[in-house]
């Protein structure tokens, strides 16, 4: 029977990151995926001949420099394009652009409020402070790789030490950030509604909280996680992999292969084998059995436990604990192929911030109404929409003169209160997006040569992500850090010996691209007594 040191289920970004770390540490690694191409959520496809874009996500964001360096991804061709932080466009024709240069960005804010331009220095300083406090928690496993009471106690004490080292002022700031609604938190810095809406819109995308929901202020830190510098700088930048997300995926695949790892596509894992209380290997859909010292699942937490195991083989109470993990679809994706560049007459000619994306948003009360509609499972009426046109900065993604556009439509319910998503309702969602786009780019509909509308249910059916939840589980405070994937099993380790989670269902979730894969590899290597760089 075929045997490996480690089997990774799923060739998404986190699965590939985990496999690359393990292979570089000398383990014999096999990656299995049911799809025809690697990448998972990051996989690209052609919406029309020559027009490439990530099907399910926007495609912005970069791996942490630590992971890029550890895995030597630059040697495998990986490069990133740096862009400005994007533009928020409001229904009344106003816009707010982000700039990395602090002087330029404060000048932009002063168009709305000179007081807010000065306040931004304090806001940026506090966001960077929050990132510095958060970074150590996100950069390592939630629990030590050592098993047993003392190993977990050491992990808990390490987190306690970080808290104990905070000054009273720091503790006050932490409590404000992690408990207040985003609206209240922003009110303590800024006076202008459009400045506050611009900052809130960038943070609310992808979450299941509204801007007026308690604890939503913590999401304001997310755009700053990769930011460096001091308080004199501007807005966070946008990163995109040169050559599209396929270039990122291929760099990881190349790193896995160069270290001796093996990738098999069209190899669906249907069962994980347990013997004497320990995971011993997997079974493929074709009946093939493969043994392994450890199995890492890149599937979401519900799929990992509830679909890969016989429930009777799981520890008592585990099925119920996994079932209580909240996973909710909250976004739809609209992909466009355009035969010409969209024109934005309401924005300054040559505005560099457009390359970082556009957000179509109302003020905070409008965002809260959209959130309320989502909670009531109403069809979207005024959704928050995040738009990226990556071909503006990377012409390789479309034929000469053409462009691709990705729109992530936020606050779209997985199921509607009065019935299913019919074809008519799906088309209505596409019409809503096109109407909103036409408000800032008149005539854009005349240049559409292909359109694709994907609902949360499509994401679940096509790549097996429960409820189409792009975050692999809600990112509310009770489902983060040591509580992710669920209380009592924080991090990559699971109640099953030799079975690990390397998907964003585990710490640090979707907050750090590739972070869950790196942490899972680090945890497994520690358990095996091997030294690795993860």
């Amino acid at each position: 029977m075929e045997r490996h040191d480690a089997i990774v289920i799923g060739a998404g970004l986190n699965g590939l990151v985990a496999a690359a770390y393990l292979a570089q540490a000398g383990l014999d690694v096999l990656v299995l995926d049911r799809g025809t191409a690697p990448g998972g959520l990051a996989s690209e496809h052609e919406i029309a001949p020559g027009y490439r874009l990530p099907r399910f996500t926007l495609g912005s964001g970069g791996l942490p420099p630590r992971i890029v360096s550890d895995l030597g991804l630059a040697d495998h061709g990986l490069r990133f394009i740096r862009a400005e932080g994007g533009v928020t466009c409001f229904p009344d024709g106003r816009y707010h652009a982000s700039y990395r240069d602090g002087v330029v960005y404060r000048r932009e804010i002063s168009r709305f409020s000179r007081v807010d331009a000065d306040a931004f220095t304090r806001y940026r300083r506090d966001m960077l402070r929050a990132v510095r406090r958060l970074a150590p928690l996100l950069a390592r496993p939630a629990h030590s790789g050592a098993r047993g009471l003392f190993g977990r106690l050491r992990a808990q004490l390490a987190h306690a030490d970080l808290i104990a080292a905070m000054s009273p002022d720091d503790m006050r700031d932490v409590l404000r950030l992690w408990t207040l609604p985003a609206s209240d938190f922003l009110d303590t810095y800024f006076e202008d509604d459009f400045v506050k809406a611009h900052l809130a819109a960038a943070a609310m995308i992808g979450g299941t909280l509204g801007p007026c929901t308690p604890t939503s202020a913590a999401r304001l830190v997310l755009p700053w996680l990769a930011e460096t510098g001091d308080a004199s700088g501007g807005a966070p930048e946008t990163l995109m992999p040169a050559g599209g997300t396929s270039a990122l995926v291929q760099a990881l695949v190349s790193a896995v292969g160069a270290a001796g790892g093996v990738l098999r596509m069209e190899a669906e894992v249907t069962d994980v084998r347990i013997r004497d209380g320990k995971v011993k290997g997997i079974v493929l859909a074709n009946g093939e059995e493969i043994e392994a010292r450890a199995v890492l699942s890149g599937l979401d937490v519900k799929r990992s436990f509830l679909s890969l195991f016989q429930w009777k083989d799981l520890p008592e109470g585990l099925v119920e604990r996994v079932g209580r993990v909240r996973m909710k679809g909250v976004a739809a994706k609209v992909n466009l192929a355009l035969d010409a560049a969209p024109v934005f007459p309401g924005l300054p000619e040559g505005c560099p911030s457009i390359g970082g994306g556009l957000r179509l948003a109302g003020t905070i009360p409008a965002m809260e109404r959209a959130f309320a509609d989502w909670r009531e499972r109403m069809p979207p009426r005024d959704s928050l929409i995040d738009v990226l046109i990556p071909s503006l900065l990377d012409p390789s993604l479309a034929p000469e003169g053409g462009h691709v556009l990705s729109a992530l439509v936020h606050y779209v319910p997985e199921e509607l209160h009065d019935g299913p998503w019919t074809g008519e309702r799906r088309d209505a969602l596409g019409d809503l997006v096109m109407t909103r786009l036409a408000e800032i780019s008149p005539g854009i509909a005349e240049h559409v040569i292909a359109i694709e509308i994907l609902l949360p249910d499509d994401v679940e059916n096509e790549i097996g992500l429960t409820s189409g939840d792009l975050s692999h589980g809600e990112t509310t405070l009770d489902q983060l850090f040591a509580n992710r994937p669920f209380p009592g099993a924080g991090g990559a380790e699971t109640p099953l010996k030799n079975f690990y989670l390397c998907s964003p269902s585990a710490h640090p979730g979707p907050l750090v691209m590739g972070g869950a894969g790196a942490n899972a590899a680090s945890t497994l290597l520690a358990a095996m007594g091997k030294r690795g760089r993860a």
Side-chain angles (χ1 to χ4, degrees):
M1 182 182 295
E2 185 178 346
R3 180 175 175 81
H4 299 270
D5 291 325
I7 290 175
V8 178
I9 303 172
L13 290 184
N14 280 281
L16 293 172
V17 166
Y21 271 114
L22 296 174
Q24 288 188 0
L27 270 62
D28 175 12
V29 180
L30 173 65
V31 183
L32 302 169
D33 194 289
R34 73 177 191 176
T36 58
L41 282 175
S43 60
E44 279 189 349
H45 79 134
E46 284 193 336
I47 185 173
Y51 291 82
R52 298 186 296 113
L53 79 175
R55 193 168 190 208
F56 305 106
T57 65
L58 281 181
S60 60
L63 292 171
R66 175 179 68 92
I67 293 179
V68 174
S69 176
D70 284 352
L71 301 182
L73 297 181
D75 296 334
H76 296 277
L78 182 62
R79 301 289 185 273
F80 287 101
I81 298 171
R82 298 180 181 274
E84 301 290 357
V87 183
T88 301
C89 300
F90 298 101
D92 66 355
R94 301 193 210 191
Y95 71 90
H96 184 125
S98 288
Y99 298 95
R100 290 174 289 171
D101 185 282
V103 173
V104 176
Y105 189 48
R106 285 165 182 79
R107 187 183 306 139
E108 171 71 4
I109 297 176
S110 67
R111 292 196 302 110
F112 298 87
S113 167
R114 291 185 178 180
V115 171
D116 286 357
D118 293 335
F120 180 76
T121 299
R122 182 166 60 93
Y123 181 76
R124 178 182 163 90
R125 178 203 65 192
D126 291 349
M127 289 295 102
L128 293 177
R129 284 178 177 174
V131 167
R132 286 193 290 271
R133 297 187 194 107
L134 193 57
L137 300 177
L138 297 178
R140 65 189 185 194
H143 287 311
S144 166
R147 292 183 177 270
L149 173 63
F150 292 107
R152 296 192 182 278
L153 182 59
R154 282 196 301 270
Q156 293 169 2
L157 289 176
H159 287 130
D161 287 343
L162 289 173
I163 296 173
M166 293 183 186
S167 69
D169 287 344
D170 285 345
M171 181 63 73
R172 178 203 63 203
D173 291 342
V174 167
L175 290 174
R176 288 177 58 248
L177 183 64
W178 287 93
T179 58
L180 285 177
S183 56
D184 290 359
F185 189 84
L186 291 169
D187 285 343
T188 65
Y189 293 88
F190 306 106
E191 63 177 14
D192 185 84
D193 290 340
F194 293 96
V195 172
K196 289 183 282 190
H198 172 74
L199 296 169
M204 293 300 109
I205 290 287
T208 56
L209 299 175
C212 300
T213 307
T215 74
S216 62
R219 295 194 63 84
L220 296 169
V221 179
L222 303 186
W224 298 86
L225 287 177
E227 186 68 7
T228 58
D230 55 30
S232 65
E237 65 187 5
T238 299
L239 279 180
M240 292 180 286
T245 54
S246 64
L248 173 57
V249 172
Q250 289 306 314
L252 286 167
V253 169
S254 178
V256 171
V262 176
L263 172 64
R264 284 178 58 182
M265 303 306 301
E266 298 184 87
E268 181 177 3
V269 176
T270 57
D271 294 277
V272 175
R273 296 174 55 246
I274 298 180
R275 187 169 65 246
D276 300 326
K278 300 178 182 179
V279 166
K280 296 293 186 180
I282 60 88
V283 181
L284 297 178
N286 64 4
E288 180 183 357
E289 296 188 19
I290 306 174
E291 291 189 346
R293 295 171 60 191
V295 174
L296 296 85
S297 176
L299 309 183
D300 69 68
V301 61
K302 290 183 183 287
R303 299 272 174 164
S304 294
F305 290 103
L306 304 184
S307 68
L308 294 180
F309 293 92
Q310 297 290 324
W311 291 10
K312 63 180 178 59
D313 294 333
L314 297 177
E316 184 178 356
L318 183 57
V319 170
E320 290 76 15
R321 292 162 72 190
V322 172
R324 286 194 291 269
V325 176
R326 297 189 309 280
M327 298 188 67
K328 297 178 182 177
V330 72
K333 181 78 187 301
V334 176
N335 299 320
L336 300 179
L338 306 171
D339 62 12
V343 177
F344 304 99
L347 301 179
E349 186 175 354
C351 177
S353 296
I354 297 174
L358 303 112
R359 283 178 293 276
L360 312 183
T363 57
I364 285 179
M367 291 183 218
E368 187 65 19
R369 288 193 296 272
F371 170 67
D373 283 349
W374 174 76
R375 289 186 61 183
E376 297 298 326
R377 296 186 295 152
M378 299 281 290
R381 292 180 291 180
D382 192 24
S383 290
L384 174 62
I385 303 175
D386 207 3
V387 177
L388 189 68
I389 313 172
S391 50
L392 291 175
L393 299 179
D394 189 351
S396 70
L397 301 177
E400 185 175 357
H403 288 274
V404 288
L405 183 151
S406 287
L408 198 63
V409 190
H410 194 47
Y411 297 135
V412 175
E414 178 190 1
E415 297 177 349
L416 298 174
H417 74 290
D418 59 350
W421 278 97
T422 62
E424 182 179 357
R425 283 177 157 176
R426 181 189 295 264
D427 292 342
L429 178 63
D431 292 341
L432 171 66
V433 173
M434 292 307 304
T435 298
R436 296 285 299 280
L437 287 171
E439 291 172 356
I440 61 170
S441 182
I444 189 173
E446 300 171 7
H447 298 288
V448 175
I449 59 175
I451 182 170
E452 181 178 45
I453 304 166
L454 297 168
L455 299 168
D457 190 55
D458 297 315
V459 178
E460 177 166 21
N461 292 335
E462 294 193 26
I463 62 172
L465 184 53
T466 300
S467 298
D469 184 348
L470 301 179
S471 296
H472 283 242
E474 287 191 63
T475 53
T476 48
L477 184 56
D478 65 314
Q479 290 194 171
L480 286 174
F481 306 114
N483 283 342
R484 194 172 187 92
F486 47 80
E493 285 185 293
T494 75
L496 303 175
K497 189 172 178 60
N498 303 334
F499 186 70
Y500 299 81
L501 276 184
C502 64
S503 74
S505 283
H507 176 75
L511 306 186
V512 178
M513 186 181 291
N519 283 344
S522 177
T523 302
L524 174 56
L525 292 173
M528 287 183 168
K530 287 182 173 287
R531 297 183 63 185
R533 292 179 296 177

